[in-house]
Amino acid sequence: MMEKAKYLIIGNGIGGLSAAREIRNHDKEGTIILVSSEPYLTYYRPKLTEGIFKDYTADNLLVNDENWYREKNINTILRIIVEKIDLDKQLVQLDDSREIEYEKLLIATGSRPFIPPIKGKYKQGVFALRTLQGLYEFKDYLRSCNTVTVIGGGLLGLEAAWALKQLGKEVNVIEFAPYLLPKQLDMELAHQLEERLNALGLNIYTSSQVEEILGEERANGIRLNGDREIAADAILVSAGIRPNLGLVMDTPIEYNKGIKVDRQMRTNIENVYAVGDVVEIDGMVLGLWTAANEQGKIAGANMVGQEMEYKQPKIFTRLDIGDIKVYSAGNINEYDRIYEYKDDSKGIHHKIFTRDGITTGAILFGEIKNMNKFNTAIASQLPVKELLKEDDRFK
């Protein structure tokens, strides 16, 4: 007998869970079925990185336990892959040959790690961290490793490198750009960050491209441009994400980098919605937990007939490693003036970037307790003289 769902959700990341919660807030009776290929209920994916050196179990990381799903009457089907969506018949086919009919469908299939086309990338000992299962496998492998190389010096790469350092490993970070965090920092502050990270014992390689992963079956090193070779018992790739679009590729659902959705999180097909890492809004794939959570809420509300619009968040970046604190927000590349405050004795260096007298971006290095003030100033396009009235330290 075919199963029927009023609301069918594919994927149980935070976007899928948030939608299910919102649907149930408005519709107490409608059947909700949530299908996931993972063996676990929704867990806090952002905590995977610190899980490298902390002993997290699945139970520590769950957003809600089994009782919550039972109370809300949300049916979960785990360890099952959705193989096909039939939009005409309004049903999906699962890999255990079951079929589920739906009235409203939400695609929340998330993303997978991007592994650049590096020679030797399929050797044993090359990892990318995206799932709890992947974390367990990586930690297991690390037991016999002394040196770990992280490919990618973005936020997640640096956080992973610090977690590995706390495990007592020798850690290399390979970054293709000429300096760390080029989207978030200018060259001067990036160099300060690099010095501080080196002082913590990380080996940072900028302007560096991995040309080959060395070793027979197991990775034992990498070769960089300029014929440099670095030993590595394990390699962690942190080079961004790619949306999981396999399910929609042979359907009329429109996609580009991600599934295209409007402000209600609707696709071009009337009763089909999408949220999270798999979607593209205004040409952007955000790949942020907070955005997926909010999008799920908006989609869930609209699926039950409420009218809600998603507003793109003002994105800021925060890095917290050891005693190093960095915050960055807004546009730091297009400006006509910079205001600065420095206190070398405390390791503080703050910059405000402006254009035509308007606050457009900010970087706080060393101390970030006022970051909310700068978030608000940038979001509201506050004239810089208003900002400087309450903070006369900037020159």
Side-chain angles (χ1 to χ4, degrees):
M1 190 173 128
M2 186 178 305
E3 289 185 64
K4 288 185 161 71
K6 187 170 183 185
Y7 309 99
L8 178 61
I9 298 170
I10 306 173
N12 79 334
I14 191 60
L17 173 68
S18 172
R21 183 192 291 136
E22 189 66 17
I23 289 167
R24 193 47 91 222
N25 284 345
H26 299 286
D27 181 346
K28 304 293 183 216
E29 305 299 323
T31 321
I32 302 173
I33 299 180
L34 200 145
V35 186
S36 172
S37 58
E38 285 199 67
Y40 311 103
L41 295 168
T42 308
Y43 56 87
Y44 286 104
R45 210 180 291 278
K47 290 192 175 175
L48 290 177
T49 307
E50 63 183 48
I52 291 171
F53 75 95
K54 288 186 176 171
D55 284 327
Y56 286 141
T57 63
D59 289 347
N60 296 142
L61 291 179
L62 290 184
V63 178
N64 299 114
D65 65 9
E66 282 178 27
N67 291 331
W68 182 87
Y69 291 83
R70 222 173 280 126
E71 284 162 17
K72 299 279 183 194
N73 196 13
I74 295 168
N75 307 331
T76 55
I77 301 176
L78 302 178
R79 293 188 176 85
I80 292 290
I81 292 167
V82 176
E83 290 201 322
K84 187 170 184 250
I85 301 172
D86 187 327
L87 294 169
D88 296 327
K89 293 182 181 165
Q90 291 199 183
L91 60 81
V92 302
Q93 294 171 357
L94 309 183
D95 68 350
D96 61 358
S97 75
R98 274 187 287 176
E99 293 184 334
I100 304 176
E101 268 185 21
Y102 62 83
E103 287 179 35
K104 304 271 175 76
L105 176 66
L106 177 68
I107 302 169
T109 47
S111 59
R112 63 192 183 284
F114 171 61
I115 314 271
I118 300 165
K119 193 177 167 191
K121 70 179 186 180
Y122 296 113
K123 288 180 176 151
Q124 252 184 307
V126 180
F127 295 87
L129 205 51
R130 195 72 196 144
T131 64
L132 193 48
Q133 197 57 42
L135 173 65
Y136 292 153
E137 288 163 14
F138 182 48
K139 287 183 79 160
D140 200 43
Y141 196 89
L142 284 177
R143 289 199 180 104
S144 60
C145 301
N146 296 318
T147 304
V148 187
T149 292
V150 178
I151 298 175
L155 283 169
L156 284 174
L158 294 177
E159 284 169 359
W162 176 236
L164 288 159
K165 190 73 200 162
Q166 287 173 280
L167 273 186
K169 308 296 180 190
E170 182 73 16
V171 185
N172 307 307
V173 178
I174 314 299
E175 172 53 51
F176 177 72
Y179 55 87
L180 294 172
L181 305 179
K183 289 194 185 85
Q184 292 92 358
L185 299 180
D186 63 1
M187 194 190 293
E188 183 184 22
L189 289 174
H191 284 149
Q192 287 184 38
L193 175 62
E194 190 175 333
E195 278 172 23
R196 295 283 297 276
L197 292 171
N198 283 329
L200 288 178
L202 299 178
N203 309 314
I204 311 283
Y205 296 80
T206 49
S207 298
S208 294
Q209 184 161 5
V210 179
E211 296 193 338
E212 186 179 357
I213 290 169
L214 306 170
E216 296 295 313
E217 284 172 13
R218 275 178 80 120
N220 66 9
I222 55 174
R223 186 164 56 77
L224 298 175
N225 52 336
D227 274 342
R228 296 167 293 163
E229 288 189 5
I230 301 174
D233 306 317
I235 291 156
L236 181 64
V237 181
S238 180
I241 55 165
R242 293 292 181 271
N244 289 324
L245 295 170
L247 262 184
V248 300
M249 282 183 167
D250 57 353
T251 73
I253 295 169
E254 286 177 4
Y255 65 90
N256 181 27
K257 285 181 284 194
I259 296 173
K260 292 182 171 184
V261 291
D262 64 13
R263 298 263 162 223
Q264 282 78 30
M265 310 314 296
R266 291 186 177 99
T267 68
N268 61 310
I269 305 296
E270 191 186 349
N271 56 342
V272 180
Y273 298 73
V275 297
D277 289 6
V278 77
V279 304
E280 175 184 324
I281 296 188
D282 298 338
M284 281 168 63
V285 173
L286 284 180
L288 292 170
W289 170 273
T290 46
N293 187 25
E294 181 65 15
Q295 289 169 5
K297 189 177 167 185
I298 302 295
N302 288 316
M303 285 167 83
V304 297
Q306 304 281 313
E307 272 297 319
M308 276 182 84
E309 273 203 10
Y310 176 67
K311 291 182 176 51
Q312 200 79 297
K314 290 284 177 266
I315 295 165
F316 69 89
T317 298
R318 181 179 168 167
L319 182 69
D320 226 324
I321 287 181
D323 60 349
I324 302 170
K325 290 182 171 29
V326 185
Y327 155 94
S328 166
N331 186 340
I332 58 158
N333 295 314
E334 297 163 39
Y335 57 87
D336 53 28
R337 184 156 178 199
I338 298 178
Y339 295 81
E340 290 188 75
Y341 162 68
K342 276 176 93 166
D343 182 341
D344 292 336
S345 65
K346 292 180 179 161
I348 295 173
H349 194 163
H350 292 176
K351 293 187 181 187
I352 301 171
F353 298 80
T354 68
R355 193 163 184 176
D356 301 327
I358 299 295
T359 309
T360 54
I363 303 172
L364 308 182
F365 187 95
E367 180 207 75
I368 61 174
K369 64 172 190 268
N370 288 334
M371 66 181 202
N372 289 340
K373 178 175 78 178
F374 289 96
N375 266 349
T376 308
I378 293 161
S380 63
Q381 299 189 310
L382 190 71
V384 70
K385 62 176 191 288
E386 297 293 320
L387 187 59
L388 298 180
K389 260 185 210 167
E390 42 180 292
D391 197 334
D392 60 0
R393 299 171 307 165
F394 286 86
K395 299 287 179 285

